């Protein structure tokens, strides 16, 4: 039998227990992960990304009032029968596709105690294998194979791998920040991590974004990790402990297309960008956008 450190990564964990307060009142009744990005929920894009990378066993860590997520990935016999009766083959295929992307499992987090606590709920599902964690607020364009690259780095080096993005000094206090060994590669060795540091204390401008490939040893560390920033159990703190113990933690610096659907303005930008690039919606949408922008009043001009 292979040792845990050399086993292939086969499973993905997607935490979806957040309340989505930035999108209230819409998220009072609809989980933020099901808000549509064009005509698919943001969460469907995430599951499709995992499946493209070969991770067809997916665990969603849910919370109260997230039953609609389970319904979305379940079959809908009445809807399917109605579409079949109408002869609406395209929509029927789309409904089927949403339930056939991957084998999706669910576990309740119980109480919101942070990302580290959410990941810890996946211990029984994962076992002693490396696994991926994908956060639903970060959409990575399907043309940019970030997760696949991270899986390759983990297979080569072992340990854990995180996705990094240079967010600049002005925004680093919104993220987990990393210190890295000097080098010009897009694959870096991480020497330290800190969650949401003050700008003048950040070790670099490289921020951890919502993709991780983690060694199973992280579970033991999370069990002993005290609440950190915000009174929550931070995954960043557990990764920092692994680094301090000499466990390998690498970063993949991402420079591709990322859409932040956790912010209202960036969510709107994501919808427009993805719709504008589609063959069915793109041409008329781009034409309308050009007209709309041309008709906008110049900055500072008074309205009628």
């Amino acid at each position: 039998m292979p040792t845990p450190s050399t086993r292939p990564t086969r499973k993905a964990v997607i935490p979806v227990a957040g309340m989505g307060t930035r999108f209230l009142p819409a998220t009072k009744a609809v989980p933020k992960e099901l808000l549509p990005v064009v005509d698919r929920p943001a969460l469907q894009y995430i599951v499709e990304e995992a499946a493209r990378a070969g991770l067809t066993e997916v665990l969603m860590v849910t919370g109260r009032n997230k039953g609609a997520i389970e319904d979305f990935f379940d079959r809908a016999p009445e809807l399917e029968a109605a579409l079949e009766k109408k002869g609406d083959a395209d929509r029927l295929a789309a409904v089927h596709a949403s339930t056939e992307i991957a084998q999706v499992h669910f576990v309740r987090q119980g109480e919101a105690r942070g990302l580290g606590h959410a990941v810890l709920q996946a211990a029984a599902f994962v076992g002693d294998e490396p696994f991926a964690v994908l956060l639903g607020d970060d959409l990575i364009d399907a043309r940019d194979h970030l997760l696949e690259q991270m899986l390759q780095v983990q297979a080569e080096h072992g340990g854990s791998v995180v996705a990094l993005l240079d967010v600049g000094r002005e925004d680093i206090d919104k993220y987990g920040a990393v210190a890295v060994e000097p080098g010009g590669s897009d694959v870096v060795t991480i020497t330290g991590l800190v969650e949401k540091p003050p700008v003048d204390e950040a070790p670099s401008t490289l921020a951890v974004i919502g993709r991780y490939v983690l060694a199973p040893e992280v579970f033991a560390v999370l069990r002993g990790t005290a609440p950190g920033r915000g009174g929550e159990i931070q995954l960043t703190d557990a990764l920092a402990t692994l680094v301090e113990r000499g466990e390998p933690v690498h970063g993949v610096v991402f420079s591709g297309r990322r859409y932040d659907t956790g912010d209202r303005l960036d969510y709107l930008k994501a919808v427009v960008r993805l719709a504008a690039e589609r063959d069915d919606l793109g041409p008329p949408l781009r034409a309308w956008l050009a007209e709309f922008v041309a008709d906008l009043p110049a900055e500072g001009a008074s309205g009628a």
Side-chain angles (χ1 to χ4, degrees):
M1 292 290 292
T3 62
S5 61
T6 59
R7 289 182 179 179
T9 306
R10 303 179 301 119
K11 299 176 179 179
V13 175
I14 306 177
V16 292
M19 291 187 291
T21 54
R22 285 180 287 183
F23 282 85
L24 285 170
T27 49
K28 178 182 177 182
V30 179
K32 67 171 183 175
E33 296 85 3
L34 295 185
L35 294 177
V37 179
V38 190
D39 54 5
R40 281 181 289 166
L43 188 53
Q44 183 172 342
Y45 288 86
I46 305 296
V47 177
E48 289 171 348
E49 178 186 353
R52 281 195 305 271
L55 310 180
T56 56
E57 290 282 325
V58 175
L59 177 71
M60 297 195 183
V61 183
T62 71
R64 286 182 292 276
N65 303 318
K66 292 299 181 92
I69 292 177
E70 296 189 36
D71 292 340
F72 179 79
F73 288 98
D74 197 2
R75 294 291 300 273
E78 297 84 358
L79 174 60
E80 294 170 17
L83 292 171
E84 188 171 6
K85 185 177 180 179
K86 289 173 58 178
D88 196 337
D90 290 341
R91 288 188 174 87
L92 180 60
V95 169
H96 282 159
S98 67
T99 65
E100 297 169 353
I101 309 166
Q103 184 66 44
V104 182
H105 310 267
F106 300 89
V107 65
R108 286 278 185 103
Q109 186 175 1
E111 54 182 324
R113 297 179 57 196
L115 177 58
H117 182 261
V119 170
L120 189 53
Q121 308 313 301
F125 171 78
V126 168
D128 58 359
E129 304 176 9
F131 64 104
V133 175
L134 297 86
L135 304 189
D137 287 347
D138 280 329
L139 295 190
I140 303 298
D141 195 289
R143 294 165 292 186
D144 296 315
H145 298 166
L146 171 62
L147 184 56
E148 289 89 338
Q149 184 182 4
M150 294 174 66
L151 292 170
Q152 291 173 358
V153 171
Q154 199 282 332
E156 180 179 350
H157 297 284
S160 299
V161 183
V162 300
L164 301 174
L165 182 71
D166 192 331
V167 298
R169 181 67 57 180
E170 64 277 5
D171 287 325
I172 194 62
D173 59 344
K174 301 180 180 70
Y175 297 84
V178 301
V180 301
E181 290 184 355
S185 170
D186 61 346
V187 178
V188 296
T189 298
I190 294 175
T191 59
L193 300 95
V194 58
E195 179 68 17
K196 296 181 180 178
V199 170
D200 57 353
E201 297 178 15
S204 75
T205 58
L206 291 175
V208 180
I209 58 173
R211 296 295 180 274
Y212 308 78
V213 180
L214 302 176
E217 288 80 6
V218 75
F219 292 124
V221 175
L222 283 168
R223 291 187 185 100
T225 299
R229 185 170 292 276
E232 298 182 333
I233 298 174
Q234 299 289 349
L235 181 57
T236 301
D237 293 343
L239 291 169
T241 298
L242 289 174
V243 170
E244 291 167 3
R245 293 181 179 180
E247 299 286 344
V249 179
H250 289 85
V252 174
V253 181
F254 182 60
S255 58
R257 290 154 285 205
R258 167 185 176 252
Y259 312 107
D260 181 0
T261 59
D263 175 84
R264 289 177 300 172
L265 178 58
D266 285 343
Y267 169 82
L268 293 172
K269 291 178 181 178
V271 173
V272 172
R273 287 171 178 166
L274 290 171
E277 293 178 351
R278 283 180 40 162
D279 292 337
D280 56 343
L281 298 173
L285 177 61
R286 292 193 298 269
W288 177 83
L289 284 172
E291 295 176 5
F292 176 74
V293 171
D295 289 341
L296 287 176
E299 185 176 353
S302 59

